[in-house]
Amino acid sequence: MASTQISIFVSWQRYSDDINAILTRFANLLARVPLITEIYLGLSNTSLSERGCQAIAYIIRISKHINTLKLWLNETRISDEGLNFITSELQDLQIKKIELVLASTLISDKGIISFAKGISNQNSQLTNLWLRLEKSSNIKDIGITNLIEALLNSPHLLRLLLVLEECSAVTDKSGERFAELIARHPKLKKVNLLLRRTGTVSYTHLRAHETPEHLVCRLLLEKK
């Protein structure tokens, strides 16, 4: 009998009880499920902590056939250590689509650098990245520039959505690297950058009319 491909879609958003214990039990249950190809976990505004992130990491580890990963972790207590548990499992997988929402968390540059390492490998099959980091005051240029370097080394990347609204420490240094990504990436076809109310990111380095002809680029900034 042929194995069945399975998508897992679970939302515990705004769940008030201990989500970390529930995730641990849920991960043990999924260990018996073959050929999981898509995972969506909605955990916004819950008590998610490092323990829960370890359970998420285990779910990813046992899902060797996964091609789509969606994690809504915004408005939680997740920190760099928790994100590192998750991203350390990404390097050996062939994930094509990642949707990661980390708005209003404790994530800093250290966590973003960890994520960048997770998606950077010579065998990367990543085609779509949807990353939301708005209202993340601990994220600065060093995290973003490391992320962009990882994206430059993702040869199959086609679509990128990056939200950095109200990240007050992100400046034109990141803007320069965004421009480099847009100009140099050989396959990137669609870019959405939402950078309103950041530090000093301006139109100087990010002008849509300078992008290659094949690339659709949507920029949302505020003129200084």
Side-chain angles (χ1 to χ4, degrees):
M1 180 182 294
S3 298
T4 303
Q5 295 184 351
I6 296 176
S7 297
I8 302 296
F9 181 100
V10 182
S11 178
W12 285 291
Q13 297 183 61
R14 301 183 183 276
Y15 190 80
S16 58
D17 291 340
D18 184 7
I19 194 64
N20 303 290
I22 291 174
L23 274 171
T24 300
R25 292 196 295 269
F26 183 65
N28 292 330
L29 177 64
L30 288 185
R32 305 175 184 177
V33 180
L35 279 182
I36 298 173
T37 57
E38 182 175 7
I39 294 175
Y40 167 82
L41 297 177
L43 299 165
S44 304
N45 199 10
T46 63
S47 59
L48 181 70
S49 66
E50 277 67 27
R51 181 186 173 196
C53 291
Q54 287 178 303
I56 295 173
Y58 178 69
I59 292 172
I60 296 172
R61 188 184 314 139
I62 62 176
S63 305
K64 299 185 183 299
H65 301 279
I66 181 175
N67 56 50
T68 300
L69 177 65
K70 300 181 181 182
L71 300 175
W72 285 57
L73 311 179
N74 51 303
E75 298 182 66
T76 65
R77 299 198 302 260
I78 182 176
S79 65
D80 295 328
E81 183 180 1
L83 184 60
N84 185 59
F85 287 132
I86 296 171
T87 57
S88 63
E89 300 297 335
L90 299 178
Q91 288 186 321
D92 297 326
L93 300 179
Q94 302 295 307
I95 298 178
K96 294 184 177 180
K97 298 179 181 179
I98 296 178
E99 185 175 306
L100 183 59
V101 182
L102 294 168
S104 301
T105 62
L106 303 176
I107 300 299
S108 72
D109 284 334
K110 184 177 179 181
I112 298 305
I113 292 171
S114 171
F115 175 73
K117 290 180 180 178
I119 62 173
S120 316
N121 65 78
Q122 294 181 341
N123 298 317
S124 172
Q125 297 297 313
L126 185 65
T127 60
N128 292 40
L129 176 62
W130 201 76
L131 181 60
R132 296 188 57 169
L133 300 168
E134 64 264 39
K135 299 181 181 179
S136 300
S137 58
N138 294 324
I139 295 176
K140 302 178 177 62
D141 288 322
I142 186 171
I144 300 305
T145 54
N146 272 268
L147 173 64
I148 294 171
E149 186 65 32
L151 296 177
L152 279 168
N153 293 322
S154 299
H156 302 289
L157 186 66
L158 298 175
R159 295 175 180 84
L160 170 66
L161 181 143
L162 181 59
V163 181
L164 291 169
E165 294 184 302
E166 298 186 48
C167 293
S168 57
V170 176
T171 71
D172 261 343
K173 185 175 181 180
S174 293
E176 293 174 5
R177 296 308 306 276
F178 282 129
E180 183 181 358
L181 173 66
I182 291 168
R184 284 181 48 198
H185 199 286
K187 289 191 176 182
L188 198 57
K189 290 185 177 180
K190 186 173 182 180
V191 177
N192 287 326
L193 300 176
L194 281 70
L195 306 173
R196 291 178 295 193
R197 295 184 293 281
T198 56
T200 59
V201 178
S202 67
Y203 282 94
T204 304
H205 302 292
L206 291 170
R207 287 181 289 198
H209 68 270
E210 292 184 349
T211 60
E213 292 182 359
H214 71 278
L215 179 62
V216 176
C217 188
R218 179 170 176 256
L219 307 174
L220 285 179
L221 302 92
E222 287 183 340
K223 289 186 177 179
K224 304 295 181 183

